[in-house]
Amino acid sequence: MKLLIIEDDKYLSATIKETTKEMFEAEQAFDGEEGLYLAEQNIFDCIILDIMLPNMNGYKVLQELRKNQIKTPVIMLTAKDGIDDKIQGFKVGADDYLVKPFHREELLLRLEAIVRRAGGDLKEHVISFKELKMNLKNKTAYIGDETVKLNGKQFDLLEYLINNKNTILTKEQIFDRIWGFESDTSTTVVEVYCSNVRKSLKKFGYDQYIKTFRGLGYMLIENGEGNV
């Protein structure tokens, strides 16, 4: 999973990155404008956002993200424990609040809670969709007692769809997340891998949940048919 840390205190940012390294691959931004840019250009599973930032404060960053329909869960950091600060944060779209200084264990628990609400479990390294379970640690997927055969990036692709269920992911977003900006291949590979994932899920009837939006991308849906 990917974490974005927007915090101008470089020591604290480094501490958060070190603390969460077993759960997340973290990127860092040290001012509001840089953080907003990274959050808009990349896909993250969670954002840790300080309020008092150079160039653009955390409230403004979060307001811009939500205005642009970026729904990534956000934990806000503040040196204040005032109710007004919390109310303002929640009003602009914060998912949780953490007052500095905080304990390492508290940060990890709050991150676990955020991921759990999104359908994952950091402790067990397992995410789920209906009866489908994916173990992120040993890269296995299963429905009931049967293993779902997924190879390499097929597993990564399905994991990404589950973590963003009911949200349209463009081919470009999927390509950048799974293959990376510097890959030598093209976005057409996304269609091939989505087709292969559907084939692996078909025997279980789960292929119907991957919906294709022509010319745009894909979405894992809770209900209905994944018709093209």
Side-chain angles (χ1 to χ4, degrees):
M1 295 185 184
K2 295 188 72 174
L3 173 69
L4 176 60
I5 305 166
I6 309 175
E7 166 61 65
D8 62 319
D9 183 330
K10 293 188 178 182
Y11 176 77
L12 178 57
S13 180
T15 300
I16 293 172
K17 183 175 182 178
E18 176 67 20
T19 297
T20 60
K21 67 180 182 181
E22 292 186 7
M23 302 177 182
F24 295 96
E25 174 189 341
E27 288 191 38
Q28 297 163 282
F30 301 105
D31 66 64
E33 289 183 353
E34 179 189 11
L36 177 61
Y37 175 79
L38 288 175
E40 290 179 332
Q41 297 299 313
N42 301 286
I43 301 296
F44 294 94
D45 298 288
C46 188
I47 297 172
I48 294 177
L49 174 63
D50 190 25
I51 291 178
M52 301 302 292
L53 291 166
N55 299 327
M56 180 185 292
N57 69 43
Y59 295 130
K60 182 63 175 175
V61 171
L62 183 52
Q63 193 173 32
E64 289 296 312
L65 291 177
R66 297 304 188 234
K67 186 173 72 175
N68 294 328
Q69 300 300 308
I70 295 174
K71 301 177 182 178
T72 308
V74 171
I75 298 177
M76 298 201 81
L77 302 181
T78 178
K80 303 176 182 179
D81 195 18
I83 188 65
D84 290 341
D85 293 308
K86 293 185 178 181
I87 289 173
Q88 185 176 352
F90 286 126
K91 277 186 175 179
V92 295
D95 295 87
D96 204 349
Y97 233 99
L98 198 54
V99 178
K100 298 188 239 179
F102 50 83
H103 292 288
R104 173 183 181 276
E105 290 75 14
E106 184 179 8
L107 171 62
L108 295 177
L109 284 171
R110 289 178 185 265
L111 284 168
E112 286 179 14
I114 287 231
V115 173
R116 195 178 301 116
R117 288 199 293 268
D121 190 326
L122 286 174
K123 282 187 175 178
E124 300 297 331
H125 297 277
V126 171
I127 60 172
S128 61
F129 176 79
K130 297 184 181 294
E131 298 302 313
L132 170 64
K133 309 288 184 183
M134 298 185 73
N135 188 312
L136 308 183
K137 196 168 185 178
N138 59 23
K139 295 283 187 179
T140 57
Y142 44 93
I143 296 175
D145 296 327
E146 288 196 65
T147 299
V148 180
K149 294 181 180 180
L150 298 166
N151 299 318
K153 287 183 169 51
Q154 292 176 19
F155 185 96
D156 299 335
L157 174 55
L158 184 55
E159 174 194 345
Y160 189 33
L161 289 171
I162 288 176
N163 281 329
N164 294 276
K165 62 186 177 184
N166 298 319
T167 300
I168 298 174
L169 297 173
T170 67
K171 293 178 184 178
E172 290 74 18
Q173 285 176 319
I174 296 171
F175 181 81
D176 292 342
R177 179 61 180 269
I178 307 300
W179 283 269
F181 292 106
E182 299 179 358
S183 175
D184 292 331
T185 188
S186 68
T187 56
T188 55
V189 72
V190 175
E191 298 174 17
V192 175
Y193 273 76
C194 276
S195 175
N196 290 335
V197 169
R198 277 200 178 104
K199 288 176 182 176
S200 296
L201 295 174
K202 189 171 184 178
K203 67 174 289 188
F204 306 96
Y206 273 57
D207 57 313
Q208 65 175 312
Y209 298 115
I210 300 178
K211 184 172 184 178
T212 303
F213 291 82
R214 289 189 182 277
L216 184 58
Y218 301 88
M219 179 171 68
L220 188 70
I221 56 176
E222 294 273 10
N223 299 299
E225 296 181 358
N227 54 330
V228 178

